[in-house]
Amino acid sequence: MCGIVGGIAERNISGVLLEGLKRLEYRGYDSAGLALIASGQLSREREVGKVANLVHAAEQSGIHGNVGIAHTRWATHGKPSQHNAHPHTSHNIAVVHNGIIENYQELKTELQALGYQFTSETDTEVVAHLVHHALKNQADLLLAVQSIIPKLKGAYALGIIDANQPDELIAVREGSPLVIGVGIGEYFISSDQLALLPVTNRFIYLEEGDTVRLKRDSVEIFAHGQAIERPVTELDATVMSSSKGEYRHFMLKEIFEQPNAVQQTIAQALDGNALKENFLEHANPALTQVQHVQIIACGTSYHAGLVAKYWFEQIIGLPCQIEIASEFRYRHPVIIANTLYLCISQSGETADTLAALRDIQKRAKASNTPIYTMAICNVSTSSMIRETNFHLLTLAGPEIGVASTKAFTTQLAALMLLILKIGEVKQSITTELKLELIQALWHCPKVLNETLKHDAKILSLSELFVEKAHCLFLGRGTHYPIALEGALKLKEISYIHAEGYAAGELKHGPLALVDNDMPVVILAPQDDMLDKLKSNMEEVQARGGELFVFADEHSGIHKKDRQHVVHIPQISQWLAPIIYSVPVQLLSYHVAVLRGTDVDQPRNLAKSVTVE
Ligand code: F6R
């Protein structure tokens, strides 16, 4: 999604802005631009494609200034092109925008009637003209911006500068993330603090509805027009490290970080063979009351929730529903008292999940229904963490690759910890099962490491996928969601069409797709469904399908004609989904590299989906 960087300083900040944009590349974008004010003059550069193109253009033109805004654009209104790239201007005003102005067409018509000429197809350009128009009646830039906010419908974050008022930068947060970086005698804004780490580790997290005036030596924040103080948070910069190290891609690095990420995530909650007393202690009274769980999430995080649905019901007998956030938010589902609404999200900023959470909170309040909200999330400073009653962090560290890997496996680990916790407070889990699960959790990092040793074998299998146009992933029980996740990984980074199915559904349609040219990936852990899965494998082979099986080492499944097998080390069947995620991630990664795609920033996708 679009990314914003901006700043005001005594020095020339063009380098800071360009470095910030590079750090936002992971979010996905198709063009980039910046505008700077120097000696009261506004200059702008915009380029289609990578930030490197913009860096080159900026070097050529020598653009500089001590106040400026910059942007990576992920096209929503109007195709990727130089004239649609941000910043958009109106006379001396320049604007960058993340989000969508839903009523831009109506505003555009009004502005055209006033004589404004549009040079782009974007929704953003209306904001620049509206600010310019408002300044005719109100000379103060902040007041002018505040006066147009009631006209804007949608979710957005804005950065605005005016060459006639070169000593300030105005920012607005209304539904899209925006953070202030506090430097020494300088201030910055960005959609993601990662962009600002070269200049500061001190941040102010804005709330929805905040407008901000930044000067070189001061910050003023207004919540719905009223001046307000927001705390400055200091981050440990080592935690925020975002280099690829020895790895060719962030995705590969993040796949290999999983043993450590899972270890960190479980270590926050476990002490030997028990849950730590202080783990989610403040949630004890609420969790005792919980009668149902409703999971809300998108994409890969949704797949983690699908696994947890099996676990909640089978391990602690707690009814659990799960729904994709983009459906849930518009379905206005009945609110059930004593439900735990559990949002799962890597970023904690996903627009649909946040909107679903806010809708449920609003309606529960209006109907006086007691509910609890919780986030399982990887970003401790995110909106989702701030807006839920309770949270459980996945300690995966920053995930930069657009395709989620370590966030997924740590979400699974965190979900298991939550289930143990609820089982304990509600006394709905036996001591034996609790001990088995805790020991299996501790064992996970070691088994993940052993599984990663199959990388070379999986690389050689991936060569057989390169020319394929389609692929099926099959699993049963908790490995049905892993089949869905495998298919999502393969399609998003290799662009091969892939579908995940519950293997039992094969005969109900997808078997018709199977022929000599159809690779079928099978997830075959040692569990109660193994014999049934073996029958499904026979069905595929009988129709000429080529099988690629990730099977438990004791499953009795071996290599044969048109059946490739990678043996996965044994683990408790409950935690096998964490382990079986690894081979499908590695397979997708290697296929994508061989096909020459942009693995870390696949086409058309964004890391943090902050618009719907
Ligand atoms: C796929 C992927 C996406 C995200 C989805 C939700 O690899 O990363 O499907 O899982 O956009 O994002 P979060 O977890 O940040 O809410």
Side-chain angles (χ1 to χ4, degrees):
M1 289 292 108
C2 303
I4 291 176
V5 194
I8 182 158
E10 222 174 289
R11 56 179 168 148
N12 169 23
I13 57 166
S14 58
V16 175
L17 299 189
L18 290 167
E19 173 59 27
L21 291 186
K22 276 195 218 153
R23 287 166 170 259
L24 292 181
E25 282 191 301
Y26 77 93
R27 292 166 70 90
Y29 69 105
D30 40 55
S31 54
L34 85 169
L36 285 149
I37 302 172
S39 311
Q41 291 294 318
L42 184 71
S43 330
R44 171 172 69 160
E45 289 292 343
R46 299 179 294 170
E47 290 294 327
V48 175
K50 293 287 174 192
V51 171
N53 301 346
L54 182 68
V55 171
H56 181 70
E59 274 165 11
Q60 298 292 307
S61 69
I63 185 172
H64 65 282
N66 67 321
V67 53
I69 48 179
H71 191 262
T72 46
R73 173 173 187 255
W74 189 81
T76 56
H77 296 72
K79 61 183 191 312
S81 66
Q82 195 182 38
H83 70 274
N84 283 333
H86 299 212
H88 288 286
T89 57
S90 182
H91 303 264
N92 282 321
I93 313 292
V95 174
V96 287
H97 163 218
N98 176 10
I100 291 178
I101 309 295
E102 286 165 5
N103 58 336
Y104 83 100
Q105 199 59 57
E106 182 187 318
L107 294 169
K108 188 169 177 174
T109 311
E110 283 171 24
L111 286 159
Q112 280 168 329
L114 290 167
Y116 284 98
Q117 306 225 330
F118 282 75
T119 58
S120 77
E121 289 111 52
T122 66
D123 51 340
T124 307
E125 198 178 346
V126 296
V127 180
H129 294 313
L130 280 173
V131 173
H132 179 264
H133 187 62
L135 279 166
K136 290 179 182 164
N137 300 320
Q138 169 55 262
D140 182 276
L141 184 58
L142 176 71
L143 293 178
V145 171
Q146 286 175 340
S147 76
I148 66 150
I149 286 172
K151 295 190 206 288
L152 305 177
K153 288 201 189 118
Y156 49 88
L158 300 167
I160 302 168
I161 53 174
D162 175 3
N164 289 339
Q165 306 188 49
D167 297 329
E168 57 189 63
L169 186 161
I170 307 300
V172 180
R173 176 181 175 151
E174 186 61 70
S176 292
L178 199 66
V179 61
I180 297 176
V182 181
I184 300 170
E186 51 191 23
Y187 284 93
F188 301 91
I189 55 167
S190 181
S191 314
D192 184 332
Q193 60 211 10
L194 267 182
L196 301 179
L197 284 179
V199 283
T200 186
N201 67 340
R202 299 172 70 224
F203 297 97
I204 299 173
Y205 298 97
L206 297 175
E207 301 284 341
E208 304 305 350
D210 282 0
T211 47
V212 181
R213 189 203 311 266
L214 294 178
K215 295 195 170 194
R216 275 200 292 278
D217 50 3
S218 68
V219 50
E220 291 170 88
I221 304 175
F222 301 86
H224 302 285
Q226 299 297 313
I228 190 163
E229 293 276 324
R230 300 241 180 258
V232 178
T233 306
E234 197 156 315
L235 290 188
D236 175 357
T238 55
V239 178
M240 307 294 298
S241 135
S242 61
S243 101
K244 274 191 277 213
E246 73 206 63
Y247 293 94
R248 183 165 169 194
H249 294 101
F250 279 109
M251 182 179 175
L252 190 62
K253 174 174 175 253
E254 288 158 5
I255 291 173
F256 275 83
E257 281 173 348
Q258 291 179 107
N260 188 40
V262 169
Q263 170 80 23
Q264 299 289 330
T265 301
I266 60 179
Q268 67 182 321
L270 297 182
D271 187 3
N273 286 331
L275 285 175
K276 285 182 179 165
E277 244 172 60
N278 62 359
F279 172 58
L280 286 176
E281 197 180 10
H282 59 298
N284 284 355
L287 295 179
T288 315
Q289 296 302 318
V290 166
Q291 300 297 329
H292 320 95
V293 178
Q294 171 69 60
I295 300 176
I296 309 160
C298 301
T300 289
S301 298
Y302 170 75
H303 295 156
L306 278 177
V307 174
K309 178 177 161 65
Y310 290 82
W311 287 347
F312 270 112
E313 304 213 347
Q314 290 176 14
I315 298 175
I316 56 169
L318 191 61
C320 176
Q321 299 295 323
I322 170 158
E323 193 162 344
I324 294 164
S326 54
E327 287 299 314
F328 188 87
R329 66 180 285 193
Y330 290 115
R331 200 167 58 77
H332 303 303
V334 174
I335 302 171
I336 304 169
N338 297 319
T339 297
L340 175 67
Y341 288 89
L342 179 59
C343 297
I344 307 175
S345 175
Q346 187 285 127
S347 61
E349 301 293 350
T350 301
D352 284 322
T353 314
L354 269 176
L357 169 68
R358 289 170 185 159
D359 173 68
I360 213 77
Q361 282 170 325
K362 196 164 119 201
R363 292 192 302 118
K365 196 170 168 201
S367 60
N368 214 8
T369 312
I371 62 157
Y372 311 99
T373 59
M374 183 182 273
I376 288 188
C377 185
N378 198 37
V379 181
S380 62
T381 49
S382 63
S383 306
M384 222 170 279
I385 295 253
R386 282 181 282 132
E387 295 183 27
T388 39
N389 303 133
F390 310 106
H391 63 261
L392 177 45
L393 278 176
T394 49
L395 299 179
E399 191 180 65
I400 305 295
V402 162
S404 191
T405 53
K406 62 178 179 170
F408 178 65
T409 43
T410 53
Q411 283 167 353
L412 291 175
L415 283 158
M416 184 56 89
L417 293 171
L418 176 63
I419 285 161
L420 288 168
K421 174 73 190 181
I422 299 180
E424 189 172 278
V425 295
K426 292 179 78 73
Q427 298 179 349
S428 54
I429 186 166
T430 62
T431 316
E432 295 73 37
L433 183 53
K434 192 166 98 184
L435 185 65
E436 181 194 326
L437 290 170
I438 291 178
Q439 289 181 344
L441 276 170
W442 280 126
H443 194 43
C444 251
K446 182 167 176 277
V447 184
L448 283 166
N449 263 320
E450 284 166 16
T451 307
L452 285 164
K453 290 187 187 146
H454 292 299
D455 185 36
K457 175 115 198 250
I458 295 170
L459 167 63
S460 69
L461 290 183
S462 66
E463 286 163 16
L464 302 171
F465 286 70
V466 177
E467 301 297 331
K468 303 292 182 194
H470 307 278
C471 178
L472 276 181
F473 285 75
L474 302 178
R476 277 182 172 262
T478 49
H479 289 73
Y480 160 45
I482 305 305
L484 293 175
E485 176 58 9
L488 177 62
K489 286 286 92 87
L490 188 69
K491 69 183 122 185
E492 71 181 322
I493 57 169
S494 76
Y495 316 149
I496 292 176
H497 171 232
E499 296 294 340
Y501 270 96
E505 272 292 292
L506 209 52
K507 303 188 189 62
H508 300 289
L511 202 51
L513 293 172
V514 174
D515 62 12
N516 282 340
D517 219 23
M518 173 65 91
V520 181
V521 179
I522 306 275
L523 299 158
Q526 186 79 22
D527 62 15
D528 305 342
M529 309 295 279
L530 185 61
D531 287 338
K532 295 201 179 296
L533 188 72
K534 284 180 179 170
S535 309
N536 299 133
M537 288 164 58
E538 297 290 341
E539 288 161 10
V540 172
Q541 283 227 307
R543 272 98 193 156
E546 187 166 16
L547 292 178
F548 296 80
V549 194
F550 298 119
D552 186 281
E553 54 199 0
H554 304 296
S555 62
I557 299 173
H558 297 289
K559 182 173 168 24
K560 58 180 185 181
D561 185 35
R562 293 182 65 75
Q563 176 167 298
H564 311 267
V565 180
V566 177
H567 281 132
I568 302 296
Q570 201 169 26
I571 178 101
S572 148
Q573 65 164 308
W574 294 112
L575 292 179
I578 300 184
I579 307 302
Y580 282 73
S581 305
V582 172
V584 296
Q585 294 166 350
L586 285 172
L587 180 70
S588 307
Y589 171 77
H590 289 304
V591 175
V593 172
L594 291 174
R595 285 169 65 98
T597 61
D598 191 345
V599 174
D600 283 334
Q601 293 161 35
R603 68 185 181 200
N604 309 337
L605 296 181
K607 181 67 183 163
S608 189
V609 185
T610 52
V611 294
E612 67 171 308

